[in-house]
Amino acid sequence: MPKRSFPNESTYKRFVESGRESEFDRLFDEAAESVKAQFGKKYPMYIDGKEVLSSTTITERSPIDNGMVIGHFQKGTREHARQAIKAANNAFETWKNRNYKERVALFRNAAEVFSKNKFPLAAILSYENGKTRYESIGEVDEAIDFMRYYANELEANKGYSRKTSKEESKTKVAAGFQGAPSTKPEKVDIRMEPFGVFGIIAPFNFPVSISTGMSTGAMITGNTVVFKPSSSDSMTLLTGLKIYEYLKEAGIPDGVFNYVSGPGAEVGDELVVNPDVAGIAFTGSRTVGTGMITKAYGLGLQKTFIVEMGGKNPAIVSRYATLDDAVSGVASAAFGFDGQKCSACSRVYVHESIKEQFVSNLIEKARSFKIGNPLEKEIYMGPLISENAQKVYSNAVEKAKSSGRVLYGGNIVNTGLNGYYVEPTIIEVNHDNELVHNELFVPILTIEGYKDFDEAIKLANDVPYGLTAALYSKKNKEVKEFIGKIQAGTIYINRYTSATTGAIVGLHTFVGWKGSSINGKGSGSRFYLQQFLREQSVSITK
Ligand code: NAP
């Protein structure tokens, strides 16, 4: 058995393994009914613990059915961002000076609050971004895991600070030089200091877990936060607000975590250009991620960036693969949550000798996926997040038809609901086609055949991204070669549950290489928290 000690929340797994799946469904269904009472209301922002209103609001609608209004949220402005930055700066001194053990205790408490509310939170998430109950509860679990994991890490590493010393020498030398002995002892305190205010800019697709993970990373290490959830084309403002409410209930003081809803181009941009924001933790597209770094440094600002971006994740299916594992792993990674995961599999390279069989089995699997209202238990694929996402899908399908072949899918699905439902889609285009290189973030999978394993790895690496990658092969030589040569941070071999998605906190680390990340340090990793801290070496000679 591999050594593994982190106790994950694993809600669904616990219910299923104890024979209580029907209770799981009942709890989710009841929550899905009861959270509706929260919909359609007007919600404020929270700055310094106080409700703040803007002059205009944003109406958030459910992607499941546009007729369902989730709520009316404040369309925050630059000025609101500035107020929140000021509040976070005011709260910083006291917060950073609290012993790290107190912050650890607060986030352990926050994990309990989230855990207590996990079914309603998961239900809101399903309404808000169209995830199935399983994906939603899994995401809420991940948020809880992040809080506990980071609390454990900070505690186990004693806040990452350490002390060193140098004993006095009996020999005195006339002048100082590098390595000169000193007759006086030297004591050194290597402190880990937070930076100040962090802007947390979150994506729509994991609005609970990623927002909570990034915010916890910043705050548990002593920084204060201005949090901006996704609000433009794809809105996740109610789950964002719930994060605020749960953190407040857990005892996070006013001003330490501020919730500002508003467009990225305004509220997000203010966080990037404002000199009083010391750092940005961002997860989202490569265009926005790299754009904000270029902008900040172009303005001569000194800011630290923790930036996680997109993927164009490949799977290689070798002739030594167990075909069933490859088919089920690729299908769930490509089409789960409609391909809207940064880790989604969007390219497959299959050995020519098994390509026909693989494609035929994959089509059968894709055909079995039910499409519709994700609140219904048997549905596997809900709606795309927005009309724009559906346009990206339709344009890509047209491009595939004109430059290659659509092997399966390619159609918009009429579910009777006013949402953006599409088929899982498998296409065959040449390697130089833009569909092979650009992240689409919709359920479209490209297939290419290969003859030589080396060639498959070269093709897999030939994109600007390097987030996740998979191999299906039972041949050790291929496995070794894949591990040595694949340019991706998170790789999986022979995983039938999913080729490239589903990293678990404490088991994997989730990290991008190349254009998928700028830091090369993963979330849910032993190295994550250190990114929110700067070292200070304090040497005292008596
Ligand atoms: P996105 O369009 O880049 O938006 C992400 C966030 O950036 C949103 O909160 C957005 O705000 C904000 N934003 C937009 N323009 C901005 C600007 N000029 N300045 C500051 N902030 C700005 O990404 P998304 O569509 O929400 O999420 C999908 C992307 O995230 C995909 O590329 C996916 O691969 C990536 N992702 C990566 C990971 C990872 O761990 N590597 C995980 C999840 C997702 P508004 O929406 O309010 O405008």
Side-chain angles (χ1 to χ4, degrees):
M1 279 287 282
K3 197 174 170 210
R4 172 150 188 257
S5 54
F6 182 73
N8 296 97
E9 185 78 352
S10 300
T11 301
Y12 178 67
K13 181 171 175 274
R14 286 176 201 270
F15 274 93
V16 172
E17 287 178 353
S18 57
R20 295 182 298 138
E21 184 159 10
S22 55
E23 191 184 339
F24 172 89
D25 287 327
R26 179 180 59 75
L27 289 169
F28 184 88
D29 291 335
E30 283 173 8
E33 205 41 50
S34 69
V35 296
K36 281 187 195 163
Q38 299 179 43
F39 294 166
K41 294 186 177 164
K42 191 168 168 183
Y43 288 103
M45 298 181 278
Y46 285 94
I47 298 174
D48 207 11
K50 294 176 196 69
E51 291 188 7
V52 174
L53 301 180
S54 184
S55 55
T56 43
T57 55
I58 310 166
T59 296
E60 180 181 329
R61 295 171 182 279
S62 171
I64 297 174
D65 190 307
N66 279 219
M68 187 186 296
V69 173
I70 301 279
H72 307 281
F73 296 84
Q74 304 306 306
K75 190 170 184 181
T77 61
R78 259 178 214 284
E79 189 42 40
H80 293 115
R82 287 187 197 123
Q83 282 173 27
I85 293 164
K86 196 169 170 211
N89 258 315
N90 289 342
F92 176 58
E93 202 59 26
T94 312
W95 180 244
K96 88 167 180 144
N97 285 328
R98 283 177 81 158
N99 189 295
Y100 76 88
K101 289 177 190 167
E102 287 178 43
R103 295 195 300 264
V104 162
L106 276 171
F107 278 95
R108 286 198 172 129
N109 193 30
E112 294 312 307
V113 176
F114 275 64
S115 183
K116 185 178 76 182
N117 290 292
K118 63 177 135 182
F119 280 99
L121 184 56
I124 293 173
L125 179 56
S126 284
Y127 283 110
E128 195 165 62
N129 76 0
K131 284 191 176 179
T132 65
R133 65 187 60 198
Y134 309 107
E135 295 282 1
S136 288
I137 204 81
E139 179 177 341
V140 173
D141 283 355
E142 190 177 41
I144 296 164
D145 287 349
F146 276 141
M147 288 187 275
R148 292 188 180 137
Y149 184 84
Y150 295 144
N152 290 358
E153 281 299 307
L154 197 62
E155 186 177 61
N157 290 287
K158 301 187 172 58
Y160 297 100
S161 298
R162 62 200 191 281
K163 291 186 192 309
T164 58
S165 62
K166 195 170 156 223
E167 281 175 17
E168 68 269 34
S169 170
K170 295 212 164 39
T171 312
K172 187 164 187 171
V173 290
F177 50 83
Q178 179 74 24
S182 163
T183 55
K184 294 181 175 173
E186 185 176 347
K187 290 205 158 112
V188 182
D189 195 359
I190 299 174
R191 293 144 47 91
M192 295 297 274
E193 290 287 294
F195 287 86
V197 176
F198 256 83
I200 303 289
I201 303 180
F204 82 85
N205 67 334
F206 281 89
V208 175
S209 62
I210 290 181
S211 303
T212 306
M214 292 193 293
S215 301
T216 302
M219 288 186 283
I220 203 167
T221 48
N223 302 280
T224 54
V225 160
V226 178
F227 166 55
K228 193 209 86 60
S230 176
S231 75
S232 291
D233 182 41
S234 30
M235 303 181 190
T236 53
L237 297 165
L238 189 52
T239 48
L241 189 63
K242 289 287 145 193
I243 293 172
Y244 173 84
E245 288 174 4
Y246 297 157
L247 291 178
K248 171 128 182 140
E249 185 181 333
I252 304 298
D254 291 347
V256 170
F257 183 74
N258 302 279
Y259 165 84
V260 183
S261 44
E266 194 168 350
V267 171
D269 188 65
E270 182 60 31
L271 296 173
V272 172
V273 301
N274 194 307
D276 292 334
V277 175
I280 298 283
F282 164 86
T283 307
S285 62
R286 188 163 174 239
T287 316
V288 175
T290 52
M292 59 175 61
I293 299 170
T294 310
K295 185 160 190 183
Y297 283 97
L299 289 169
L301 293 167
Q302 184 56 50
K303 216 170 273 242
T304 192
F305 280 92
I306 301 165
V307 170
E308 309 301 333
M309 300 176 286
K312 190 71 186 175
N313 310 301
I316 298 176
V317 182
S318 138
R319 65 188 147 141
Y320 304 107
T322 303
L323 204 62
D324 284 352
D325 290 355
V327 168
S328 86
V330 167
S332 39
F335 306 131
F337 188 38
D338 288 33
Q340 299 174 114
K341 297 183 189 179
C342 50
S343 53
C345 178
S346 49
R347 300 179 290 142
V348 186
Y349 301 97
V350 196
H351 193 269
E352 289 288 3
S353 64
I354 54 161
K355 187 173 157 218
E356 207 179 309
Q357 188 64 58
F358 175 80
V359 170
S360 156
N361 293 8
L362 188 66
I363 288 174
E364 272 325 292
K365 186 82 185 172
R367 208 190 299 281
S368 74
F369 290 152
K370 289 203 165 59
I371 303 162
N373 185 340
L375 293 167
E376 289 168 17
K377 183 176 162 51
E378 70 279 5
I379 294 297
Y380 191 75
M381 289 175 67
L384 285 173
I385 190 72
S386 66
E387 190 178 2
N388 271 339
Q390 196 180 70
K391 278 188 194 146
V392 169
Y393 173 86
S394 297
N395 291 341
V397 169
E398 285 316 305
K399 172 96 190 158
K401 280 181 185 161
S402 61
S403 56
R405 287 196 304 152
V406 174
L407 303 178
Y408 180 74
N411 299 303
I412 288 171
V413 178
N414 184 354
T415 56
L417 294 162
N418 191 12
Y420 309 105
Y421 296 86
V422 299
E423 286 180 325
T425 300
I426 304 166
I427 63 173
E428 190 165 39
V429 289
N430 286 336
H431 184 70
D432 55 7
N433 196 303
E434 67 186 57
L435 300 177
V436 175
H437 299 266
N438 297 343
E439 185 186 43
L440 300 171
F441 231 51
V442 294
I444 295 183
L445 178 71
T446 65
I447 301 263
E448 276 180 73
Y450 75 85
K451 288 197 182 81
D452 173 57
F453 191 65
D454 255 4
E455 178 203 350
I457 294 184
K458 276 196 194 111
L459 292 170
N461 283 337
D462 186 30
V463 292
Y465 297 102
L467 188 49
T468 63
L471 169 68
Y472 291 90
S473 173
K474 287 287 161 96
K475 192 169 177 152
N476 280 342
K477 188 169 170 288
E478 288 188 342
V479 171
K480 260 191 173 167
E481 193 175 339
F482 179 77
I483 296 171
K485 292 187 178 165
I486 196 74
Q487 295 165 2
T490 311
I491 65 179
Y492 302 98
I493 293 147
N494 294 327
R495 196 152 158 271
Y496 82 89
T497 48
S498 171
T500 54
T501 66
I504 293 173
V505 178
L507 176 64
H508 312 103
T509 166
F510 189 68
V511 53
W513 284 11
K514 292 168 38 181
S516 295
S517 168
I518 61 161
N519 306 76
K521 303 280 183 294
S523 56
S525 142
R526 298 183 68 183
F527 308 110
Y528 186 69
L529 291 185
Q530 293 160 56
Q531 301 175 98
F532 292 91
L533 292 161
R534 50 187 172 179
E535 285 187 277
Q536 188 174 46
S537 176
V538 181
S539 154
I540 299 176
T541 300
K542 284 255 165 80

